[in-house]
Amino acid sequence: VQHADACYLGRCSSGGTCGTYCGQCSFSPTTWRVRSSSVYMSRETTDDTQLVFSNVAFAGGMLTNANTLINAADFDLGWEAGFDISLMQGDGYGGEVEGRVLYLNDFTDREVGTGGNVELNNLILFNGFQPVDTLNPRTNPVNVAADYLSEFRTVELNYREVFTPWWIVMVGFRYGNLDEELIIRTADSAAVPLVSRTEYNVDNDMFGFQMGTEFILASNPAGWDIITTLKGGVYYNRVDLRVNSGGDGFVNGQGSDVRGETAWLGEATLQARYHVTCNGTFTFGYSLLSVDGVSLATEPVTTVLNPLSGPDLQVRSNRGTALYHGLNAGVEIRW
């Protein structure tokens, strides 16, 4: 009995049949397949950075006696829906070209806090010394709201080769984009409050080649397959960082920075596939995706707002990790 995957690629080694559930195998030189899945995934927050302090005091321009009011680890970005679509064309000899798009909707969360002598984590400096907000008197308590937004999408172009009826090897090109934004707002308790708004926008554009494998762990004549897929690669990451700070009563500032880094992206999926007909299949599974070496909006930034020379972004870490995991369910159609 020839395995179903060889049939799906338009190839039979003998007899022209592909199992009791797949029927006659097509001998067409090209075979098309489309997979369309809905995904529901969680974005784990792995960054541990102090973002906002209370009870701040300064000595010689240095921050002392501060308590953490908001930490990046406090954010719970939760679960969001998205889609995963692949289009494949077989060559009739055991290989096929695949194009794939994975898109996840915005992950968002808000953290709030109230404290006295509030300041950001040395993120916005004036001439390299005290943070901007300390240039103005505050009426305590100060209310703080921090909004975190994160969006991820990826596009692939792969060539897949069937080495055995149960084993597929793939190589290809992949583009990934991680776009993040952190907005921190503060307002004191005065009748006419002093209001500030600081935005950190960071865009990670990743380009590179990947390798992977797809292996059929189990196959049932009734129509069930259990499949695992592993893929990964090292990527050039173009990081675009933009910072905007402004509000009532103090100097507005802007800064930007663009540079190249190295990132890694890996993905693993375990999936059950049920063949309703030779041309129609239901799929259900669980996926894990990790992006490492990227710049996150919650990472430390030092911005010097110098009225004479202009703003300058001085410090940025690119060792962040974005981790996604969750369910996928969909259909596959072949013609």
Side-chain angles (χ1 to χ4, degrees), residues 264-296:
W264 181 87
L265 191 156
E267 185 177 3
T269 300
L270 182 65
Q271 196 168 59
R273 182 172 64 186
Y274 179 69
H275 304 270
V276 180
T277 69
C278 189
N279 295 337
T281 305
F282 289 121
T283 61
F284 179 81
Y286 200 88
S287 299
L288 174 68
L289 191 149
S290 178
V291 188
D292 187 57
V294 290
S295 186
L296 305 178

Side-chain angles (χ1 to χ4, degrees), residues 110-169:
R110 165 176 281 198
E111 291 294 323
V112 298
T114 301
N117 299 322
V118 168
E119 186 52 66
L120 307 187
N121 181 16
N122 275 349
L123 301 183
I124 302 297
L125 305 181
F126 185 82
N127 292 330
F129 293 99
Q130 293 187 354
V132 170
D133 285 355
T134 63
L135 301 178
N136 301 272
R138 286 282 193 170
T139 301
N140 292 323
V142 178
N143 299 313
V144 183
D147 293 286
Y148 189 17
L149 301 87
S150 182
E151 187 178 70
F152 179 77
R153 75 277 286 179
T154 180
V155 179
E156 302 174 49
L157 181 62
N158 301 309
Y159 179 77
R160 298 156 49 93
E161 177 71 23
V162 178
F163 277 81
T164 74
W166 300 273
W167 181 36
I168 294 175
V169 175

Side-chain angles (χ1 to χ4, degrees), residues 6 16 34 36 39-40 55 61 79 82 88 96 104 114 145 159 165 182 188 198 214 274 285 289 316-317 327:
V34 60
S36 180
V39 297
Y40 189 59
N55 302 327
W79 294 73
M88 290 155 278
E96 66 179 348
L104 300 177
T114 301
Y159 179 77
L182 176 65
D188 67 13
T198 304
E214 183 177 295
Y274 179 69
L289 191 149
R316 187 67 186 182
S317 170
L327 302 171

Side-chain angles (χ1 to χ4, degrees), residues 31-229:
T31 299
W32 290 88
R33 289 193 292 157
V34 60
R35 292 176 182 172
S36 180
S37 300
S38 296
V39 297
Y40 189 59
M41 304 190 76
S42 171
R43 160 69 194 278
E44 299 296 332
T45 302
T46 59
D47 192 18
D48 184 12
T49 302
Q50 298 167 319
L51 298 176
V52 184
F53 292 114
S54 63
N55 302 327
V56 172
F58 289 90
M62 302 298 294
L63 182 148
T64 61
N65 303 322
N67 296 322
T68 301
L69 191 61
I70 297 179
N71 190 296
D74 298 334
F75 289 106
D76 181 7
L77 296 178
W79 294 73
E80 289 293 337
F83 61 83
D84 184 350
I85 299 178
S86 295
L87 178 64
M88 290 155 278
Q89 182 184 26
D91 59 14
Y93 299 97
E96 66 179 348
V97 177
E98 174 194 33
R100 179 192 178 209
V101 176
L102 171 64
Y103 177 83
L104 300 177
N105 290 329
D106 288 343
F107 294 88
T108 62
D109 191 31
R110 165 176 281 198
E111 291 294 323
V112 298
T114 301
N117 299 322
V118 168
E119 186 52 66
L120 307 187
N121 181 16
N122 275 349
L123 301 183
I124 302 297
L125 305 181
F126 185 82
N127 292 330
F129 293 99
Q130 293 187 354
V132 170
D133 285 355
T134 63
L135 301 178
N136 301 272
R138 286 282 193 170
T139 301
N140 292 323
V142 178
N143 299 313
V144 183
D147 293 286
Y148 189 17
L149 301 87
S150 182
E151 187 178 70
F152 179 77
R153 75 277 286 179
T154 180
V155 179
E156 302 174 49
L157 181 62
N158 301 309
Y159 179 77
R160 298 156 49 93
E161 177 71 23
V162 178
F163 277 81
T164 74
W166 300 273
W167 181 36
I168 294 175
V169 175
M170 67 185 77
V171 294
F173 174 84
R174 189 167 193 169
Y175 163 75
N177 175 256
L178 176 63
D179 189 4
E180 297 208 328
E181 183 177 25
L182 176 65
I183 303 174
I184 300 178
R185 302 176 179 89
T186 67
D188 67 13
S189 59
V192 180
L194 179 68
V195 178
S196 72
R197 174 189 172 99
T198 304
E199 298 183 22
Y200 306 91
N201 295 275
V202 59
D203 203 9
N204 297 267
D205 286 308
M206 294 163 279
F207 307 85
F209 293 94
Q210 68 176 359
M211 299 182 63
T213 183
E214 183 177 295
F215 193 80
I216 300 176
L217 302 175
S219 182
N220 189 307
W224 283 100
D225 293 329
I226 305 296
I227 303 167
T228 183
T229 303

